[in-house]
Amino acid sequence: MTLDLFADSGETCTWREELAAGAAVLRGQALANDTAILAAVREVVAQAPFRHLVTPGGLRMSVAMSNCGMRGWVSDRHGYRYDPIDPDSGQPWPPMPEVLRQLAGEAAALGGFQAFEPDACLINRYEPGTHLSLHQDRDERDFSQPIVSVSLGVPATFLFGGLRRDDKCLRIPLTHGDVVVWGGPARLRYHGVAPLKPAWHALLGAQRINLTFRKAL
Ligand code: SIN
Ligand code: FE2
């Protein structure tokens, strides 16, 4: 792992930890704007409330989800897809707030991917004990575009594996404000989240919120 300290345009300093070729953690990248980011998330979920999706195999996902942007990631008995319409409301997903779009673009650039313009932001809510199984993000059309993943609230252990499901995983502690970026040769690496340990965060209580930005189309 290589560490690299750099100053960004604000007052914060961020550690960039290289996880693999094409993958890095930007420590604290979302901290400076955390209250504005959380206010934007609250506005989105007031319009598109969190829900527990069902996998194609019929299992209820323990992580609750919502979306904003031109496309939202959904799962149901028919499979996984990006949909411009929220199936719960029949309305388009709420637009992606500017503060989120900007965070995603800046983080992608710091991770080595210029001009990232996400059209989808998946919002995941984890409660104590919930986890996300190892998976690849592969429902997007263009794998030259990276994934930007923002952690808010209580700490979690991010599992970052290889290109095969049974490759050994790195176990990466992520705390409030950390951003993970992966793309290029790392774009299709398996990843997941270990069961969330009970903890308390001043802004989010017992929860962890994760924002995953993607270019779906
Ligand atoms: C995801 O892979 O969609 C989310 C990862 C995370 O919650 O950190
Ligand atoms: Fe993912």
Side-chain angles (χ1 to χ4, degrees):
M1 184 188 290
T2 56
L3 294 178
D4 170 17
L5 185 67
F6 61 90
D8 67 16
S9 50
E11 301 121 48
T12 54
C13 266
T14 303
W15 286 101
R16 180 171 48 207
E17 296 175 15
E18 193 119 349
L19 300 178
V25 185
L26 310 173
R27 294 287 178 196
Q29 185 62 28
L31 266 185
N33 270 336
D34 64 352
T35 42
I37 291 164
L38 284 171
V41 169
R42 286 196 181 98
E43 216 165 287
V44 168
V45 299
Q47 296 167 69
F50 284 114
R51 76 288 308 264
H52 293 272
L53 299 174
V54 173
T55 66
L59 298 174
R60 174 187 187 267
M61 295 182 73
S62 68
V63 177
M65 296 179 176
S66 182
N67 288 279
C68 61
M70 292 297 287
R71 293 288 182 280
W73 185 86
V74 290
S75 172
D76 61 21
R77 294 302 298 234
H78 304 292
Y80 308 124
R81 67 180 184 282
Y82 281 99
D83 201 317
I85 300 296
D86 175 351
D88 279 12
S89 67
Q91 300 295 313
W93 297 101
M96 193 182 297
E98 191 47 40
V99 66
L100 300 189
R101 184 183 304 282
Q102 201 175 332
L103 170 66
E106 286 174 4
L110 291 170
F113 303 93
Q114 303 303 321
F116 178 51
E117 289 185 16
D119 54 12
C121 172
L122 172 65
I123 306 172
N124 293 312
R125 185 189 67 196
Y126 298 76
E127 279 165 339
T130 58
H131 76 285
L132 191 66
S133 305
L134 270 191
H135 65 279
Q136 293 170 297
D137 285 7
R138 54 178 316 142
D139 301 319
E140 302 74 30
R141 275 196 201 149
D142 179 1
F143 294 149
S144 74
Q145 296 296 313
I147 304 289
V148 172
S149 176
V150 178
S151 290
L152 299 164
V154 306
T157 301
F158 184 59
L159 308 173
F160 195 64
L163 295 172
R164 293 174 8 178
R165 183 179 289 279
D166 54 5
D167 285 342
K168 200 169 162 4
C169 288
L170 296 171
R171 295 177 65 85
I172 299 151
L174 294 180
T175 60
H176 180 77
D178 290 346
V179 180
V180 188
V181 179
W182 66 96
R187 178 61 179 74
L188 290 175
R189 280 184 180 251
Y190 278 86
H191 57 280
V193 177
L196 199 73
K197 298 216 174 91
W200 191 260
H201 186 270
L203 297 177
L204 278 167
Q207 310 172 85
R208 171 175 187 260
I209 301 281
N210 166 262
L211 311 175
T212 300
F213 295 91
R214 299 153 176 163
K215 181 139 175 49
L217 293 187

